[in-house]
Amino acid sequence: MKRVFSGVQPTGNIHIGNYLGALKQFVQLQEENDAIYCIVDMHSITVPQDPKVLRQHILDVAALYMAVGLDPKKSIIFVQSDVPGHAELSWILTCNSYTGELSRMTQFKQKSKGKESAPTGLFTYPILMAADILLYDADIVPVGNDQKQHIELTRDIAIRINNKYGETFVVPEGQFVKSGARVMALDDPTSKMSKSAENPHSRISLLDEPSKIKKSIMKATTDSEGVIRFDIENKPGISNLLSIYSAFSGLSIEELEKKYDSQGYGTLKKDLVEITVDALAPIQARYREIRDSQELLDALKDGGQRANAIAEKTMKRVKDRFGLGL
Ligand code: AQP
């Protein structure tokens, strides 16, 4: 059995990019692997958060994890800050990484762009992510394409420490889906769909009402050519809609191009609204059942204890290698 680890930040409502790029794989992977899924609340404070809202968002993400199909009997589901090993290991990894490699991270460049000074946590957050993964000896890390660079960094740090201190960490592999690995913003298909983008119509959140989904898709930026074909460079808007359609319907891009041959963008958009609304309806129904339940709190408590037991073992091994403590 392989160990799978991944996480999502509680920074707002999870959108279809998070779902198609990451969560959908989480559910498939829990069937035949030893899966651990975290709500990475310590990552979310790299930018300011309202404490009351953050708590609610932690529960929202946990409920959405379960609503999309994660089962606490099959997967460990827990909150990152409930396991002290993440912060502890992060410091040890920080001492074994370089400012040069962190400066190359494109997410840091994007998130700090235009700011006179950025929080140190925003700069070092890829190390905390490396700690999240290495703490659980993960073999596989299912994530969206935007995290490729961070997985590479995690591997580099693990290999560096293994070479210097002897076999300490499992070197993980990223796992990326074919369609949906990078869902783009509906209002600007050249940047990725994001929870924190200002325009709510740039994304479709898993909890959006049908009317909001309709408005966002019908307003989505396209082009003036009027031909439905996949061409990311010249037709990023239509290509993005086709990718989302393909990921939700299971139809290939070629099948969709044939289906919509000589049809207008309006028809494609209308059908995509229907497909999206239908795909999200059961998730929303389950979310409403579970969000305020004791079952959710019990799952997180139990998950935290089980995650902590694994993390403590790793920390003992790491401290031994580094000669820390007695
Ligand atoms: N647009 C996307 N397409 C495909 N996958 C995506 N992911 C994020 N955006 C897309 C994947 O979702 C998982 C959880 O992401 P996260 O919440 O940890 O952080 P993020 O990548 O920073 O996501 P957001 O939505 O853009 O949040 P904010 O706005 O808060 O920064 C990851 O596996 C990610 O790859």
Side-chain angles (χ1 to χ4, degrees), residues 7 53 73 77 83 101 126 131 138 146 170 209 305 319:
V53 175
K73 288 192 199 82
I77 301 171
V83 178
E101 56 193 355
D146 59 317
V170 171
E209 308 232 332
Q305 284 165 353
K319 284 180 176 174

Side-chain angles (χ1 to χ4, degrees), residues 81 92 109 166 177 232 244 254 256 285 324:
S81 61
I92 296 172
K109 287 191 208 159
V177 284
I232 292 194
I244 297 170
E254 295 74 43
L256 289 174
L324 292 166

Side-chain angles (χ1 to χ4, degrees), residues 88-143:
E88 211 177 357
L89 183 58
S90 180
W91 174 249
I92 296 172
L93 302 186
T94 301
C95 298
N96 285 276
S97 34
Y98 297 97
T99 51
E101 56 193 355
L102 291 177
S103 312
R104 286 195 288 276
M105 297 295 121
T106 49
Q107 282 227 349
F108 171 72
K109 287 191 208 159
Q110 278 160 9
K111 289 197 174 178
S112 59
K113 204 157 127 192
K115 295 198 177 105
E116 224 171 77
S117 133
T120 313
L122 201 57
F123 185 61
T124 57
Y125 120 90
I127 302 181
L128 179 59
M129 177 167 160
D132 300 338
I133 297 166
L134 300 180
L135 191 58
Y136 298 98
D137 293 328
D139 303 290
I140 302 172
V141 187
V143 277

Side-chain angles (χ1 to χ4, degrees), residues 6-23 26 40 43 47 49 107 111 125 142-148 177 180-185 191-197:
S6 198
V8 173
Q9 296 189 62
T11 39
N13 277 332
I14 291 185
H15 51 72
I16 58 169
N18 302 131
Y19 176 62
L20 297 173
L23 266 76
F26 293 5
V40 288
H43 283 281
V47 293
Q49 301 289 340
Q107 282 227 349
K111 289 197 174 178
Y125 120 90
V143 277
N145 266 354
D146 59 317
Q147 297 296 331
K148 244 182 194 163
V177 284
R182 191 169 173 81
V183 177
M184 308 309 279
S191 35
K192 75 161 192 159
M193 187 176 281
S194 163
K195 293 189 217 90
S196 49

Side-chain angles (χ1 to χ4, degrees), residues 125-268:
Y125 120 90
I127 302 181
L128 179 59
M129 177 167 160
D132 300 338
I133 297 166
L134 300 180
L135 191 58
Y136 298 98
D137 293 328
D139 303 290
I140 302 172
V141 187
V143 277
N145 266 354
D146 59 317
Q147 297 296 331
K148 244 182 194 163
Q149 215 186 8
H150 295 158
I151 302 288
E152 273 314 306
L153 178 75
T154 303
R155 290 170 54 84
D156 289 347
I157 296 173
I159 292 169
R160 183 177 303 148
I161 291 176
N162 285 351
N163 287 339
K164 197 163 170 197
Y165 293 90
E167 218 47 38
T168 309
F169 295 120
V170 171
V171 181
E173 301 270 355
Q175 184 166 304
F176 311 92
V177 284
K178 280 209 191 92
S179 47
R182 191 169 173 81
V183 177
M184 308 309 279
L186 296 175
D187 61 340
D188 170 14
T190 58
S191 35
K192 75 161 192 159
M193 187 176 281
S194 163
K195 293 189 217 90
S196 49
E198 241 166 67
N199 179 6
H201 292 294
S202 68
R203 62 185 164 265
I204 295 169
S205 296
L206 295 192
L207 299 175
D208 277 350
E209 308 232 332
S211 58
K212 153 72 175 56
I213 296 173
K214 185 173 177 192
K215 204 163 172 193
S216 302
I217 292 179
M218 296 314 283
K219 274 166 82 104
T221 301
T222 52
D223 55 69
S224 55
E225 193 194 31
V227 178
I228 297 177
R229 103 189 125 79
F230 191 86
D231 175 352
I232 292 194
E233 210 162 293
N234 300 307
K235 298 169 72 68
I238 286 296
S239 303
N240 190 36
L241 297 181
L242 284 171
S243 296
I244 297 170
Y245 197 137
S246 167
F248 274 129
S249 66
L251 294 172
S252 69
I253 298 284
E254 295 74 43
E255 284 170 319
L256 289 174
E257 282 175 338
K258 259 197 213 132
K259 182 172 158 80
Y260 289 98
D261 184 30
S262 38
Q263 305 235 36
Y265 293 169
T267 313
L268 172 76

